[in-house]
Amino acid sequence: MAASCVRTVGSLLGKCGNCSSNINTVTSQLSRRQICVSTALLKKNLAAAGPEKFTVEFIQKQVEEFDIGKRHLANMMGEDPENFTQEDIDRSIAYLFPSGLFEKKARPLMKLIFFPLHEAVQWGADGRPFHFLFYTGKQSYYSLMHELYGKILNIEKHQDRLRAKGLFSQDAKAIALDTSRWFTKEELEVLLVETISSHNYDRFIQLIERLLSMPYGNMEEEFVLQYRRPLEAQSKKQSVPVPERDDKGVAFSTSDGRRKTSNSSVVLRDGGSGRITVNGQEYLQYFPVLQDREQLMFPLQFVDLLGRFDLECTVSGGGRSSQAGALRLAISRALLSFLSEGEQETMRQAGLLTPDPRVRERKKPGQEGARRKFTWKKR
Amino acid sequence: TSGCGQQQEAVAVESELEPFSVFRTQESDPACQSEKHLGQFYTLPPAHFRPLFPHGLPYRYQQQVKTFNEACFMVRSPALEVISYLKKADYSKPALRYLFYGLKGSGKTMSLCHAVHFCYTQGWLVLHIPDAHLWVKNCKELLPSSFNSARLDQPLQATTWLRNFRTTNERFLSQIKTTHRYAWTKREFTDEGRPLGELVNQGISRVKSSSDVVGALMKELRLQSGQPGAGFRLAVAVDGVNALWGRSTIKKENKSAVDLEELTLIHNLRKLVKNDWVRRTLVLTTVTAWSPTQLTGFDSMDPFIPVSVPNYSEKEFESVYLYYLDRKWLQHPQSRTEDGKKELVFLSNRNPSMLDRICGFL
């Protein structure tokens, strides 16, 4: 800032060469004073201006600056500024500022983070609150209830008018409520930016249900739908791998499996003799321990299709037991496509299709292992 | 076709007579076994068992023999093939060599022992070295050789082997005579024309010179069986022949590794296995778990006839399964069901040794 001031002063000096000497002296004094300004003054200047107001204009300005910065970054990396996504930004920043910090959140970040709404100041300069319900303590909640009741009264008036005209009909179309649910208490709190008690929440639900139960409730459809959340997709059914046919007409299916840190992929071919190849080796050689081979055998034995398939497996990572577990999961998944619905259900019941969530627990400081504490000494 | 018809009748008759032992055959002479006995078990007569196999059988199999009180071999195609070659081979040509190779635990040593049994029944002298790996690993005592100071002796292994050799080939020991004079120390020597038995006893009683005795024995047998007038044929069976050219884990006292050339026993064995003889003697060997082309020392073994020993075929697997059932080895009730059999097939992948291990705790 000081530099720019000096520059501007200098230009002024240059332009107004004909100005009177006293102005010159003043400006020269000014310039001299500006030259010896220090950063401490600057800091004081900022503090005096007051905290930064996070107004909408401020946010917009920040967004524009971010976009410009994004384009600069794309140019720097030699990529197309138009199609520069957030992932590309992350990659470029990680490249330009390589950080060895373990905590991912502490590394350099270039991202627009929109913090959730928080309460703006509720009263003006004279101390008078803006909202008429401020002194209830939960102004947004009560204003919402007030609004709802107003709508109910409106609908009743409308109904009365229609009845008076004789055009009242019971068969108004109902709003589709199957695919959505009401907001939960927490979601409502987030929307209203203030805490509400469970009693308040029940009252709110009662009122809005009453609105909907009225014959002409569908007039306020969009308003009501604001407070409903669409239900997520029904139970995530495991996509059963479709058995394809390869060039010899043999039906085969592929699937993956994971356990601890092992990843495996299995190609299950029909019409085979029960030969199994793991990573190019015979499974007898790859899994010399009986337990691992039993794990491989379990899905096939469970559905009594031991000698029918040929398996071609690849597995990597982890140890011997986790590789066997990963393969078992992959085999079960691949088998699904060759089984009927009932058999699939029995497999699910048997736990063959559930990926094992157990992972190695982290060692904590102050303890010897994940759970084991150091030997306790009395003194 | 008539022969086939007769054979079929014979088989039918056999199966009628013994419906419970479709996996067994009465033919206990390997010379008379043929393809129709493939997959069937024959029992070794106890009279043959003690002298033939004081060493040479896999450890687990020896335990099985003790448990079942009988020694049963399965007639499998690799062994049958080699036996047929042995029958038809022309012995005036240089020595023929056969190599059994295959995966770990697929039955190479057992095939070798089957062939050795055949040689024994034919009245040949059998030089059976149980496992060349034993001579190359874990040697407790090493002595500098008395014969050649650059080499090292292994007295313990040599004496055990000589003892077993004596058990196997009792009748030949008095027949064969030495052709040279061997001086073991300043005062002990074996004259020319002494029976071989004396040589062997010398080696057993004088532990220090046993390795040299082994060398002398091999030289004698090589020379003598080469001559047309010899009254015997020699069969050499070496198990684990790839140990002769691999690395050894024995260390000298100054912790430097011992080169295989420096071991007397290995040196003599290598000479034995080389191709410079005429007449009879076949060298039957087994290799652990490699394909024959990868064998080190391939050049000294060349030329030879490789014979692959695969895992059990379906029929052979059936046989073994019925055998175990017959011997009441499989106690678990589920092992008698079809599903149980499929499980066994899967878990062992039809590998003989794996199957044996699994059935061990069923």
Side-chain angles (χ1 to χ4, degrees):
Chain A
M1 254 216 6
S4 57
C5 289
V6 168
R7 258 187 265 120
T8 46
V9 165
S11 62
L12 267 174
L13 277 174
K15 279 186 197 157
C16 333
N18 304 333
C19 293
S20 48
S21 50
N22 49 0
I23 299 173
N24 265 340
T25 47
V26 164
T27 47
S28 57
Q29 275 170 14
L30 250 182
S31 62
R32 257 183 256 118
R33 240 183 286 144
Q34 291 283 15
I35 283 167
C36 47
V37 83
S38 63
T39 45
L41 244 184
L42 273 174
K43 278 194 201 141
K44 247 207 256 172
N45 244 344
L46 278 176
E52 280 193 62
K53 301 252 195 293
F54 295 111
T55 53
V56 180
E57 300 90 31
F58 176 78
I59 293 178
Q60 273 176 353
K61 195 162 84 101
Q62 294 296 314
V63 169
E64 280 162 20
E65 283 186 6
F66 179 79
D67 279 330
I68 294 172
K70 194 171 86 164
R71 296 179 78 89
H72 275 304
L73 184 62
N75 275 331
M76 262 197 276
M77 298 298 289
E79 298 201 22
D80 178 22
E82 302 296 325
N83 307 331
F84 206 55
T85 61
Q86 185 61 43
E87 285 171 7
D88 296 329
I89 297 178
D90 291 335
R91 225 180 347 103
S92 323
I93 294 290
Y95 170 71
L96 290 169
F97 302 100
S99 156
L101 297 174
F102 290 119
E103 178 65 54
K104 298 269 175 26
K105 291 184 208 166
R107 292 185 183 171
L109 181 68
M110 180 168 163
K111 203 178 203 173
L112 280 174
I113 304 178
F114 292 97
F115 293 102
L117 307 165
H118 65 273
E119 277 182 43
V121 173
Q122 312 280 6
W123 52 87
D126 52 352
R128 200 158 162 271
F130 296 129
H131 203 278
F132 72 101
L133 287 176
F134 173 75
Y135 287 109
T136 59
K138 302 176 198 172
Q139 59 181 44
S140 12
Y141 169 72
Y142 283 110
S143 69
L144 173 65
M145 297 294 274
H146 185 76
E147 208 184 318
L148 267 176
Y149 193 63
K151 288 193 196 296
I152 288 175
L153 288 177
N154 269 345
I155 292 174
E156 279 181 356
K157 246 200 299 191
H158 181 73
Q159 279 177 355
D160 289 337
R161 260 188 271 128
L162 285 180
R163 248 193 231 111
K165 287 192 200 154
L167 298 168
F168 183 77
S169 55
Q170 282 283 348
D171 51 335
K173 91 172 154 66
I175 312 173
L177 295 175
D178 291 342
T179 53
S180 52
R181 59 168 176 84
W182 290 119
F183 270 179
T184 57
K185 182 159 158 290
E186 285 75 27
E187 284 163 355
L188 198 61
E189 281 181 5
V190 163
L191 193 68
L192 297 176
V193 195
E194 61 192 17
T195 47
I196 46 179
S197 73
S198 43
H199 181 78
N200 290 344
Y201 176 71
D202 294 333
R203 278 274 186 249
F204 166 72
I205 296 290
Q206 273 174 13
L207 199 60
I208 206 163
E209 290 276 342
R210 182 180 153 194
L211 178 75
L212 283 181
S213 64
M214 300 196 327
Y216 279 89
N218 53 6
M219 277 166 44
E220 304 296 336
E221 192 173 328
E222 330 117 34
F223 178 76
V224 164
L225 283 180
Q226 270 180 0
Y227 294 94
R228 284 191 78 90
R229 161 127 332 150
L231 279 172
E232 283 125 15
Q234 290 292 320
S235 59
K236 218 172 37 159
K237 252 208 178 126
Q238 242 178 8
S239 51
V240 173
V242 176
E244 311 141 35
R245 301 222 157 227
D246 68 358
D247 37 353
K248 288 190 194 126
V250 173
F252 72 98
S253 73
T254 325
S255 62
D256 299 321
R258 244 199 276 226
R259 166 105 211 266
K260 269 191 184 177
T261 29
S262 310
N263 285 302
S264 74
S265 144
V266 159
V267 177
L268 196 79
R269 271 177 236 271
D270 203 350
S273 58
R275 283 188 52 234
I276 304 189
T277 320
V278 182
N279 282 0
Q281 289 182 19
E282 279 290 318
Y283 70 109
L284 197 64
Q285 234 180 322
Y286 195 79
F287 290 126
V289 180
L290 187 67
Q291 177 192 346
D292 302 333
R293 274 174 283 140
E294 277 178 353
Q295 289 286 304
L296 281 194
M297 185 176 80
F298 182 31
L300 299 168
Q301 184 205 17
F302 190 74
V303 291
D304 279 333
L305 293 172
L306 263 182
R308 193 171 130 193
F309 295 103
D310 270 345
L311 293 171
E312 200 182 299
C313 326
T314 40
V315 69
S316 62
R320 136 202 104 110
S321 200
S322 68
Q323 281 185 345
L327 276 177
R328 177 181 118 172
L329 184 62
I331 293 175
S332 328
R333 284 193 185 149
L335 265 185
L336 280 180
S337 51
F338 291 100
L339 298 177
S340 64
E341 285 292 330
E343 285 179 341
Q344 286 181 12
E345 194 50 44
T346 42
M347 273 187 86
R348 189 169 297 129
Q349 300 275 333
L352 277 168
L353 301 174
T354 327
D356 200 333
R358 297 179 287 177
V359 190
R360 188 161 164 259
E361 198 174 311
R362 179 211 143 165
K363 174 200 177 309
K364 284 108 193 169
Q367 294 177 7
E368 199 171 309
R371 298 283 172 100
R372 159 120 173 104
K373 322 280 184 283
F374 288 121
T375 315
W376 181 73
K377 297 234 166 61
K378 198 160 183 187
R379 50 187 72 84
Chain B
T1 46
S2 58
C4 289
Q6 278 171 2
Q7 277 183 358
Q8 277 168 8
E9 278 170 21
V11 165
V13 162
E14 237 182 41
S15 56
E16 274 167 22
L17 288 176
E18 300 123 3
F20 48 83
S21 55
V22 97
F23 54 92
R24 278 194 203 264
T25 174
Q26 301 301 315
E27 195 60 71
S28 58
D29 188 7
C32 310
Q33 285 162 359
S34 63
E35 277 89 24
K36 73 173 196 277
H37 295 114
L38 269 181
Q40 294 183 329
F41 279 87
Y42 79 93
T43 324
L44 222 65
H48 284 182
F49 182 71
R50 289 301 308 285
L52 238 196
F53 295 125
H55 57 194
L57 288 174
Y59 181 60
R60 282 194 74 91
Y61 184 73
Q62 281 174 354
Q63 288 179 318
Q64 189 187 310
V65 165
K66 234 188 331 187
T67 321
F68 291 165
N69 236 2
E70 62 175 5
C72 277
F73 274 71
M74 188 198 266
V75 177
R76 290 185 79 189
S77 48
L80 212 59
E81 206 183 307
V82 169
I83 289 178
S84 64
Y85 291 154
L86 293 182
K87 283 189 220 167
K88 296 178 205 154
D90 188 359
Y91 296 115
S92 50
K93 304 245 183 68
L96 298 153
R97 279 171 315 193
Y98 306 99
L99 189 71
F100 287 110
Y101 70 96
L103 290 172
K104 184 174 128 171
S106 61
K108 304 181 285 285
T109 312
M110 294 301 291
S111 305
L112 184 70
C113 295
H114 189 169
V116 161
H117 180 223
F118 168 73
C119 301
Y120 186 78
T121 49
Q122 299 288 306
W124 300 1
L125 208 165
V126 167
L127 202 82
H128 185 45
I129 289 142
D131 197 351
H133 292 292
L134 291 175
W135 285 2
V136 161
K137 293 201 269 200
N138 297 334
C139 181
K140 298 284 163 44
E141 277 191 21
L142 275 182
L143 294 176
S145 166
S146 48
F147 187 64
N148 188 344
S149 54
R151 297 207 219 119
L152 295 165
D153 262 1
Q154 285 154 301
L156 295 171
Q157 277 101 343
T159 26
T160 33
W161 185 77
L162 280 173
R163 245 183 246 127
N164 292 329
F165 179 76
R166 188 173 59 181
T167 335
T168 315
N169 300 306
E170 292 274 5
R171 44 199 169 141
F172 291 105
L173 294 181
S174 43
Q175 289 174 13
I176 310 175
K177 310 276 185 233
T178 56
T179 48
H180 289 301
R181 185 172 189 269
Y182 297 102
W184 309 119
T185 57
K186 285 205 188 112
R187 297 209 203 109
E188 291 169 15
F189 48 85
T190 313
D191 278 327
E192 237 181 270
R194 308 292 297 154
L196 213 59
E198 226 184 81
L199 196 67
V200 175
N201 289 335
Q202 167 77 33
I204 294 174
S205 48
R206 296 274 176 272
V207 174
K208 268 198 180 164
S209 48
S210 49
S211 320
D212 294 323
V213 168
V214 169
L217 184 73
M218 288 182 183
K219 197 161 110 187
E220 282 296 316
L221 290 172
R222 222 177 37 215
L223 289 172
Q224 291 206 7
S225 54
Q227 288 147 20
F232 66 95
R233 282 195 192 162
L234 183 61
V236 179
V238 180
D239 201 339
V241 82
N242 48 343
L244 295 184
W245 289 280
R247 296 182 301 167
S248 94
T249 57
I250 317 178
K251 294 211 175 41
K252 289 190 264 205
E253 269 144 20
N254 52 355
K255 302 280 175 80
S256 63
V258 167
D259 200 22
L260 280 181
E261 269 301 317
E262 295 177 20
L263 291 169
T264 337
L265 290 174
I266 306 295
H267 182 79
N268 292 324
L269 252 188
R270 281 196 197 173
K271 280 199 289 193
L272 198 64
V273 158
K274 264 202 314 207
N275 196 12
D276 51 358
W277 322 346
V278 180
R279 277 218 87 198
R280 52 7 10 171
T281 84
L282 325 155
V283 181
L284 310 170
T285 59
T286 60
V287 183
T288 44
W290 285 348
S291 69
T293 41
Q294 289 169 357
L295 179 60
T296 44
F298 182 63
D299 342 309
S300 30
M301 282 296 299
D302 212 13
F304 61 88
I305 302 171
V307 180
S308 132
V309 182
N311 285 336
Y312 284 146
S313 69
E314 300 218 5
K315 188 172 164 216
E316 289 173 346
F317 185 84
E318 281 282 332
S319 262
V320 172
Y321 178 70
L322 288 170
Y323 177 63
Y324 281 142
L325 276 183
D326 175 58
R327 294 271 103 201
K328 300 203 181 7
W329 190 233
L330 298 170
Q331 288 291 319
H332 198 277
Q334 213 205 341
S335 56
R336 289 188 204 124
T337 61
E338 264 302 309
D339 291 332
K341 202 153 81 155
K342 281 196 205 164
E343 280 177 39
L344 286 176
V345 165
F346 188 98
L347 285 176
S348 63
N349 203 17
R350 296 216 188 86
N351 186 287
S353 76
M354 256 312 132
L355 182 64
D356 180 42
R357 264 166 231 266
I358 298 174
C359 297
F361 34 74
L362 277 180

